[in-house]
Amino acid sequence: MAPARTVLVADRGEFFLRDTGETDPTRPVVLLLHGWMVSADLNWHSAYGPLAGAGYRVLAIDHRGHARGLRALAPFRLTDCADDAAAVLRALEVDRAIVVGYSMGGTIAQLMARDHRELVSGLVLSGTCQHFQDPETVKLLRWMGMVGLAVKLAPKAFFQAGFKRSGIALNERTAWWMSELMRHSGRDVAAAGREMARFDSRPWLGSVQVPAAVVLTGRDGAVSPAKQRELAAAVGATVFEVPLDHLELTIRDTEYNPALLSALQTVSAPQGVPA
């Protein structure tokens, strides 16, 4: 794992952060944003080493309500997650970063590029899309109230059932996965699902001018490759496709991480300062 730290942001709270520290000052900072119902470590633990080894300073935040993330009194909002990430960059005095978002983290990355453009030097999106309003996903996300109740009252049983449905065996490695998942706030992860159901960047994403790349998960059963291609076209992104399903980026990291590094290299090219 990358070293852990707590970042105190005035008027906002304390944030858990992975931070590899400054390495090559000529290389950009990379901010990793994780997906729904996981943590920064679950989503990105296989990428910390390769990215740091390539010379990037790697930052990874736990979103509010997820794992060690902020427990706020206010209802969960994706825009607040984007504001949290921007506030952490400012607290660290990071002028600009390449923002990498996976799944739900991709929606937060899009919001950061819209609302905090001055902080975003490049955008890498993966396993994500412009909206989750297709009928199949909407039907699934209607069950968020029950998901929240299950995570609150019987988290171990709930996640064990999820492992079984996904064909994941319980062993020493997955015991760590379970411990990370059981840190979540049931209220917030349910609200996050409802927030994704409402998310739609189609009206505005095309106006966001930022160097972009998409690491497309070509066998994704959660976010269809067609929707990922639509996202890439909307933001003018270079596409790097890997033949992976939605949850395979860490267990097949030897295939995923080279594509991620290529995407980072693409958006790291010198760019003019945005207007």
Side-chain angles (χ1 to χ4, degrees):
M1 293 298 175
R5 63 185 299 184
T6 299
V7 178
L8 177 62
V9 178
D11 301 322
R12 208 162 191 92
E14 294 181 344
F15 294 89
F16 174 83
L17 188 73
R18 294 289 182 186
D19 183 357
T20 60
E22 294 187 29
T23 51
D24 182 347
T26 67
R27 301 294 289 166
V29 175
V30 173
L31 174 64
L32 302 175
L33 303 179
H34 68 77
W36 179 52
M37 290 190 73
V38 295
S39 63
D41 288 347
L42 282 173
N43 204 141
W44 298 114
H45 69 271
S46 296
Y48 294 150
L51 268 59
Y56 296 104
R57 179 183 180 183
V58 181
L59 307 174
I61 188 174
D62 276 353
H63 301 307
R64 51 178 62 202
H66 289 69
R68 301 169 183 83
L70 184 71
R71 296 300 192 264
L73 296 177
F76 182 99
R77 295 288 182 266
L78 291 170
T79 51
D80 288 334
C81 293
D83 293 343
D84 290 342
V88 167
L89 289 180
R90 293 189 176 102
L92 295 174
E93 298 183 343
V94 173
D95 294 332
R96 305 185 79 199
I98 299 173
V99 180
V100 180
Y102 194 84
S103 194
M104 182 186 78
T107 68
I108 297 168
Q110 292 173 60
L111 291 166
M112 280 193 72
R114 183 191 72 179
D115 298 339
H116 304 280
R117 176 65 185 88
E118 72 284 358
L119 292 173
V120 180
S121 63
L123 198 60
V124 177
L125 304 170
S126 186
T128 193
C129 54
Q130 292 179 276
H131 69 92
F132 296 89
Q133 297 178 9
D134 53 283
E136 294 80 6
T137 306
V138 168
K139 183 178 179 180
L140 173 65
L141 295 177
R142 285 175 181 164
W143 293 88
M144 287 305 103
M146 293 184 65
V147 168
L149 188 63
V151 173
K152 180 178 180 180
L153 298 180
K156 186 175 181 180
F158 174 79
F159 290 118
Q160 280 180 331
F163 280 20
K164 186 175 181 179
R165 286 194 302 271
S166 301
I168 300 172
L170 289 174
N171 52 40
E172 291 183 0
R173 181 179 186 181
T174 56
W176 170 68
W177 297 354
M178 179 72 73
S179 69
E180 286 289 287
L181 293 169
M182 289 180 65
R183 298 178 188 274
H184 295 334
S185 159
R187 182 200 71 164
D188 286 337
V189 296
R194 290 190 290 267
E195 271 283 277
M196 287 195 294
R198 291 188 285 264
F199 179 81
D200 189 350
S201 66
R202 287 175 293 183
W204 51 262
L205 187 60
S207 65
V208 175
Q209 300 298 310
V210 60
V214 164
V215 181
L216 192 150
T217 42
R219 297 178 181 170
D220 203 315
V223 181
S224 73
K227 289 176 69 175
Q228 296 183 57
R229 292 188 188 282
E230 290 174 0
L231 167 68
V235 77
T238 304
V239 176
F240 299 87
E241 184 167 350
V242 287
L244 304 182
D245 201 353
H246 198 70
L247 300 179
E248 292 185 321
L249 74 162
T250 57
I251 61 174
R252 295 176 61 184
D253 53 294
T254 56
E255 296 170 72
Y256 185 84
N257 288 337
L260 176 58
L261 286 165
S262 294
L264 288 169
Q265 182 62 39
T266 296
V267 301
S268 297
Q271 302 287 334
V273 177

